[in-house]
Amino acid sequence: MSVSKRYLKTLELDKILELLSAETSIEDSRSKALEIIPQTDFSMVETLLRNTEDAYIFMAKYSAPNFAGAKNVSNALRRAQSLAVLSIPELISIAETLRAIRVVKEWRSNCLSMENTSLEDYFSGLVPNKYLEDKINFAIKNEEELNDNASPTLYDIRRKIASKSAKLRESLEKIIKGPTAKYLQEAIITQRDGRFVVPVKAEHKGQVSGIVHDTSATGSTIFVEPMTVVETNNEIRVLKLKEKEEIDRILAELSAEAGSFCNSIIPSYDALTELNLIFAKARLAYKMKAVVPQINKDGITYLKNARHPLINYKTVVPITVELGKEYNTLIITGPNTGGKTVTLKTVGLMTLMTMCGLMIPCDDGSRVAVYGSVFADIGDEQSIEQSLSTFSSHMVNIINILKNADDDSLVLFDELCAGTDPVEGAALAKAILMRLSAYGSRVVATTHYPELKSYAIDADGVQNASCEFDVATLKPTYRLIIGMPGRSNAFAISGKLGLEKDIIETAKNQINEEDLRFEKVVASLENATRQAEKEREIARKLRSEMMDAKKKSDMREHELEIKTQKLMDQTREKANAIIENARYKSSLLLNELEEMKKAINAENAAKMQEKARGMFKNTLKELEDEANPVISRKVSGEAVKTLEKGDIVIIAELNRDATVIDVKADKKQAYVMSGSIKMWVDFENLRLKSKNAPSTEIKKTRNVSGIASRKDRVISGEIDLRGQASDEAIMELDNYIDNAILSGLETIRIIHGKGTGVLRKNIQAHLRHHKSIDTFRLGTFGEGENGVTIATLKN
């Protein structure tokens, strides 16, 4: 089945298609847009909508491709395929079309995140031909001439023509500036029949020898080709003929080349026009703020906040309409100019747009049925030619609808059976609706008949709806209220306009009691519905406020989590520093106890035990102080602004001496070594140790068996041997290793530099057999890499 063009025009689909055509950039795509008809096949509609949606997503991510310049060159290509020679403009059109195909193809290849879309067959159908495009563009200068370099022969001919023309002009210049100039009408060079001539006064005709080619209208001037340039003009004429022959040859060659690609260019152009139309649908959807509706074959329509696309979106009042689920027939009542007809057309137009593969201006979640046929009886159907009244003309249309409608039809009636006797018209309208209901058709009808309101209340599958009217302002609100029959409000409107009350009362008395009671019930229901709407709006606002509050609460919770995580990270860093300090002090304490153990004897056992107990308590107190965040540590020393390698500093947080190994001045950080511990520390946590400042090492008071206290043996954790001879460097290294062992260091950093690598090899060969070295390795990134060796001392 299909939809009659008559109904398409009635529902103003043609105006939508005109808007669509304006979004295209190829003439054939524009024609296709105007010729679109709604599809009744569900799978076809599904495909069309998917195409539009994918184009919509493409545009959202990458903007639309550029189709400019493409033209229908099918006729020219087929002629070229038949060995016809194409004109320069035709070849330019072919090149422009090839450029458009190439540009769109390249655009698609750049859309990396879009894969397996419904448009891939169209994009795959685009076959660029850069070879032919470039060949045409190289040969053609503009729509009237070829480039000089189109062929070597053409270049040579034009070079000769230019040379001959220059020579000819030089000869003519001598004539117009020489002794014969007095015989000329004007001192100019002109052309007649493609030959260069000079204007000679008629009375001096014999004074300039040559060939007369023309005479002025007055006869006072003759145009003479001087004999001195006749030969050159002849040569130029011959060259011009050769030029034309070469141009014809080049055009024939280009035409034959284009004709050979006819079977690939034409399908590519067809795919290009389809893509242009699909992207035009997507552009129109953006302008209408449209969405892709859910489609179904069950006759269910649910338009949520639908906006008629031909009414300015800033002024149109959205409507929500349902049909086909709980009821198949919707009867809309209400005063004139209240929006009944707009509602009717919105339902019909949205359905047709969907069946054309167009997105529709409504909210997400909307549903549209794909029908086998759509019928509409809207507007003035009076026919002067057929001598039919408005009612008769409408009835002819209604009879046709009744003959063709079925359970797969959408039928729209505007003022059903109006224009005749109200009683008969109402009865007829009711009978028509009952017949269509029996068919299973989906029907939307507008009416003023109260009998149809009652019918909608009593009958199954039929629902009332009304277009709201504000009696206080005498203006319609254009809101559609489902389930509520509308009132004409004639008495209220007349009273507001100033009609005398006794006339209104007389009119009311003319209405039978049943109709009056019905109007009162409708008014009461209307008030109840309005109150429910207000309460629903209040509930909606409260829900919105609750959602906002929840969002803010979630945001605050998220921020709190981030702050908590940050605080935990900072605490973890400080805890690690405390642990490293504790490990360092524990190591020193164990070394002290080991040496005390070696020095202990029966005489000093009690004394040494007391010293060990005191050292343990002092060290434990220091560790407790380190772990207490309340205690503020006062560290002497100069505030750090700049540092150099080798500087002795105090780590403020640990209150320990350290040696600077490396410096990042731009980040204000230093890589320091304190004992065996290495770390990056910010300048703000470092103090430059003055020469007279006391050491921050743990005080050792032991002086046993004449061995010097480690306090007097504290050395740096690294030694710099750069620039020294190997023998000299090894001797200094052995001395340093002995001192490092006595100072309790576990690892040392030997700086030997990169250079030729000789010093590094000799030092590492020496370390390999050194009795005090456990292991060694080259430095890593941040330690000096292969310019240093890191060695671990034996316990």
Side-chain angles (χ1 to χ4, degrees):
M1 298 180 71
S2 61
V3 183
S4 169
K5 290 185 178 181
R6 171 188 180 184
Y7 302 132
L8 301 184
K9 187 173 182 63
T10 299
L11 293 171
E12 301 178 298
L13 180 66
D14 58 321
K15 295 180 180 178
I16 298 297
L17 297 183
E18 287 176 5
L19 294 177
L20 175 63
S21 69
E23 299 299 327
T24 62
S25 50
I26 302 175
E27 188 60 36
D28 282 351
S29 300
R30 189 169 294 111
S31 299
K32 287 181 179 181
L34 295 173
E35 294 169 359
I36 289 177
I37 58 174
Q39 298 296 316
T40 57
D41 180 77
F42 183 83
S43 60
M44 177 61 73
V45 175
E46 197 173 31
T47 300
L48 292 174
L49 283 174
R50 193 180 301 115
N51 289 345
T52 306
E53 184 178 23
D54 285 344
Y56 189 89
I57 296 171
F58 266 119
M59 289 177 61
K61 290 186 175 182
Y62 303 102
S63 77
N66 183 6
F67 296 91
K71 296 179 182 178
N72 190 341
V73 291
S74 302
N75 183 45
L77 286 169
R78 289 194 178 94
R79 284 174 38 238
Q81 194 177 36
S82 301
L83 303 181
V85 178
L86 304 182
S87 65
I88 293 178
E90 286 176 321
L91 288 168
I92 291 176
S93 295
I94 292 172
E96 282 296 299
T97 301
L98 289 173
R99 184 198 61 79
I101 292 170
R102 175 176 52 81
V103 167
V104 175
K105 186 76 170 183
E106 291 174 353
W107 176 89
R108 176 63 187 94
S109 65
N110 292 329
C111 302
L112 300 178
S113 64
M114 298 285 290
E115 297 179 358
N116 300 323
T117 70
S118 63
L119 304 179
E120 294 314 301
D121 286 343
Y122 294 111
F123 284 115
S124 299
L126 300 178
V127 182
N129 192 331
K130 192 76 164 54
Y131 162 75
L132 181 59
E133 177 190 347
D134 288 345
K135 189 168 185 178
I136 294 174
N137 288 330
F138 178 79
I140 297 176
K141 184 176 183 179
N142 53 47
E143 291 192 352
E144 296 180 353
E145 62 177 319
L146 301 184
N147 283 316
D148 293 348
N149 294 322
S151 75
T153 303
L154 183 63
Y155 177 82
D156 184 59
I157 292 172
R158 287 184 173 175
R159 181 181 58 80
K160 290 179 179 178
I161 289 174
S163 175
K164 296 291 183 182
S165 297
K167 179 181 177 182
L168 184 145
R169 283 186 171 277
E170 184 179 346
S171 299
L172 292 175
E173 287 286 340
K174 291 179 181 179
I175 293 174
I176 63 176
K177 293 179 180 179
T180 57
K182 59 185 177 180
Y183 305 122
L184 302 180
Q185 195 71 259
E186 292 180 84
I188 61 170
I189 301 170
T190 184
Q191 280 189 326
R192 287 294 184 274
D193 298 327
R195 302 180 75 87
F196 290 95
V197 296
V198 293
V200 180
K201 296 177 182 177
E203 59 270 24
H204 300 298
K205 178 179 179 181
Q207 301 300 322
V208 179
S209 61
I211 302 171
V212 177
H213 284 279
D214 198 6
T215 304
S216 66
T218 59
S220 60
T221 305
I222 57 175
F223 296 93
V224 178
E225 178 184 3
M227 291 304 298
T228 55
V229 298
V230 168
E231 186 62 30
T232 306
N233 259 330
N234 288 338
E235 292 174 355
I236 292 175
R237 175 65 67 88
V238 172
L239 288 171
K240 287 284 187 181
L241 292 174
K242 289 182 178 180
E243 179 189 31
K244 185 178 183 307
E245 290 175 358
E246 180 61 15
I247 290 174
D248 291 341
R249 187 196 67 78
I250 294 171
L251 291 178
E253 181 182 322
L254 290 174
S255 299
E257 197 89 61
S260 66
F261 293 107
C262 174
N263 293 334
S264 64
I265 298 176
I266 292 177
S268 294
Y269 172 77
D270 292 339
L272 193 71
T273 58
E274 289 296 334
L275 283 170
N276 185 222
L277 179 58
I278 292 169
F279 276 92
K281 291 180 179 180
R283 275 193 292 269
L284 184 63
Y286 269 105
K287 290 187 176 181
M288 290 184 174
K289 304 184 186 304
V291 301
V292 177
Q294 302 170 20
I295 60 173
N296 64 87
K297 295 183 286 187
D298 305 320
I300 298 174
T301 295
Y302 172 61
L303 300 177
K304 183 179 179 183
N305 291 326
R307 305 172 298 277
H308 195 287
L310 297 177
I311 302 176
N312 191 316
Y313 74 93
K314 294 181 180 179
T315 59
V316 66
V317 177
I319 60 169
T320 298
V321 185
E322 293 184 68
L323 185 68
K325 189 174 183 182
E326 297 180 0
Y327 47 87
N328 289 344
T329 302
L330 184 66
I331 297 176
I332 305 174
T333 51
N336 291 326
T337 70
K340 299 191 301 298
T341 303
V342 171
T343 299
L344 198 69
K345 286 189 173 182
T346 299
V347 174
L349 185 55
M350 295 287 184
T351 300
L352 294 178
M353 287 176 65
T354 302
M355 292 166 66
C356 290
L358 293 167
M359 296 165 64
I360 58 176
C362 56
D363 289 356
D364 285 326
S366 296
R367 303 177 67 187
V368 174
V370 177
Y371 294 102
S373 55
V374 176
F375 303 98
D377 185 63
I378 301 173
D380 188 0
E381 296 287 341
Q382 186 173 12
S383 175
I384 296 175
E385 293 180 0
Q386 297 180 18
S387 301
L388 296 175
S389 66
T390 300
F391 175 78
S392 300
S393 183
H394 277 289
M395 191 50 62
V396 169
N397 190 28
I398 292 170
I399 292 170
N400 180 65
I401 292 173
L402 290 172
K403 286 180 179 179
N404 295 282
D406 57 18
D407 61 349
D408 194 22
S409 300
L410 173 66
V411 183
L412 307 171
F413 291 122
D414 187 27
E415 299 296 345
L416 179 59
C417 292
T420 187
D421 177 76
V423 176
E424 293 181 356
L428 198 56
K430 181 178 177 180
I432 291 169
L433 293 177
M434 292 174 67
R435 174 60 62 88
L436 290 172
S437 179
Y439 287 165
S441 302
R442 275 62 176 178
V443 182
V444 182
T446 68
T447 184
H448 283 287
Y449 293 140
E451 291 85 353
L452 294 186
K453 302 177 189 178
S454 301
Y455 167 67
I457 294 174
D458 297 334
D460 292 333
V462 185
Q463 181 64 279
N464 270 308
S466 62
C467 290
E468 190 179 51
F469 188 87
D470 190 339
V471 179
T473 61
L474 299 181
K475 291 182 179 179
T477 65
Y478 300 107
R479 291 178 63 244
L480 183 70
I481 304 174
I482 303 293
M484 169 70 66
R487 295 188 296 156
S488 64
N489 295 299
F491 294 149
I493 294 172
S494 300
K496 287 284 183 180
L497 294 174
L499 187 65
E500 295 179 11
K501 290 184 178 180
D502 59 337
I503 297 177
I504 295 174
E505 289 298 324
T506 302
K508 286 182 178 180
N509 292 333
Q510 305 304 313
I511 299 177
N512 62 56
E513 190 67 25
E514 184 179 346
D515 290 341
L516 195 58
R517 187 165 53 252
F518 178 79
E519 286 294 321
K520 288 180 179 180
V521 171
V522 170
S524 175
L525 183 59
E526 193 173 295
N527 291 332
T529 303
R530 192 175 290 112
Q531 184 63 33
E533 283 287 331
K534 289 180 180 179
E535 292 178 0
R536 190 180 295 111
E537 182 63 20
I538 293 172
R540 188 193 64 77
K541 288 182 179 179
L542 288 174
R543 190 183 301 110
S544 178
E545 291 173 1
M546 288 176 61
M547 292 298 294
D548 290 342
K550 185 178 183 303
K551 286 181 182 178
K552 291 179 181 178
S553 175
D554 292 343
M555 191 176 297
R556 283 195 295 269
E557 183 179 352
H558 181 64
E559 291 175 354
L560 184 60
E561 287 179 0
I562 293 174
K563 289 180 180 178
T564 302
Q565 186 63 40
K566 188 175 181 180
L567 183 60
M568 289 179 66
D569 291 342
Q570 293 174 350
T571 304
R572 193 177 293 110
E573 289 178 5
K574 290 182 180 180
N576 289 336
I578 293 172
I579 290 169
E580 289 295 333
N581 188 33
R583 188 180 292 126
Y584 177 75
K585 290 183 177 180
S586 297
S587 176
L588 293 179
L589 182 59
L590 289 172
N591 289 339
E592 290 290 343
L593 290 174
E594 186 66 27
E595 292 190 11
M596 289 172 65
K597 181 179 177 182
K598 293 177 183 178
I600 196 168
N601 53 48
E603 296 179 359
N604 61 9
K607 186 177 180 181
M608 296 299 287
Q609 186 178 6
E610 184 63 29
K611 282 185 179 180
R613 189 176 290 110
M615 289 173 59
F616 174 75
K617 288 182 178 179
N618 289 338
T619 303
L620 185 60
K621 180 66 169 62
E622 289 181 9
L623 291 175
E624 289 175 351
D625 290 343
E626 290 286 351
N628 186 358
V630 179
I631 297 175
S632 60
R633 302 180 177 84
K634 295 184 179 179
V635 183
S636 61
E638 302 175 8
V640 169
K641 294 183 179 178
T642 59
L643 286 174
E644 296 180 359
K645 294 181 181 179
D647 284 345
I648 305 299
V649 294
I650 300 173
I651 304 174
E653 289 185 349
L654 302 179
N655 197 20
R656 297 297 306 157
D657 286 357
T659 303
V660 177
I661 300 174
D662 197 2
V663 177
K664 290 183 179 178
D666 56 337
K667 294 186 177 180
K668 296 189 180 299
Q669 290 182 333
Y671 192 57
V672 300
M673 180 174 183
S674 178
S676 62
I677 302 172
K678 296 177 184 176
M679 66 186 81
W680 283 101
V681 184
D682 294 334
F683 280 10
E684 62 184 17
N685 290 328
L686 296 176
R687 298 291 183 273
L688 188 63
K689 186 173 180 182
S690 61
K691 295 181 180 179
N692 299 324
S695 172
T696 58
E697 295 289 331
I698 299 175
K699 295 183 178 181
K700 313 292 188 306
T701 57
R702 182 175 61 82
N703 189 8
V704 183
S705 303
I707 300 175
S709 171
R710 287 187 182 179
K711 169 179 169 296
D712 301 325
R713 299 191 225 111
V714 174
I715 65 172
S716 172
E718 67 180 17
I719 180 172
D720 192 346
L721 302 177
R722 289 176 292 184
Q724 298 184 25
S726 295
D727 293 341
E728 180 186 1
I730 289 172
M731 289 179 61
E732 186 174 342
L733 177 61
D734 284 341
N735 185 45
Y736 172 75
I737 291 172
D738 292 340
N739 289 331
I741 293 172
L742 292 175
S743 297
L745 297 181
E746 294 180 358
T747 60
I748 58 175
R749 185 170 182 263
I750 306 166
I751 304 174
H752 42 64
K754 298 178 181 179
T756 61
V758 174
L759 182 59
R760 180 184 70 246
K761 291 179 182 177
N762 290 334
I763 288 174
Q764 292 186 349
H766 180 68
L767 293 176
R768 193 171 289 110
H769 303 96
H770 200 290
K771 62 181 180 179
S772 299
I773 300 300
D774 187 11
T775 60
F776 65 88
R777 61 177 175 80
L778 284 174
T780 59
F781 180 76
E783 293 179 326
E785 300 176 348
N786 61 352
V788 302
T789 296
I790 307 299
T792 303
L793 303 178
K794 291 182 178 179
N795 294 331

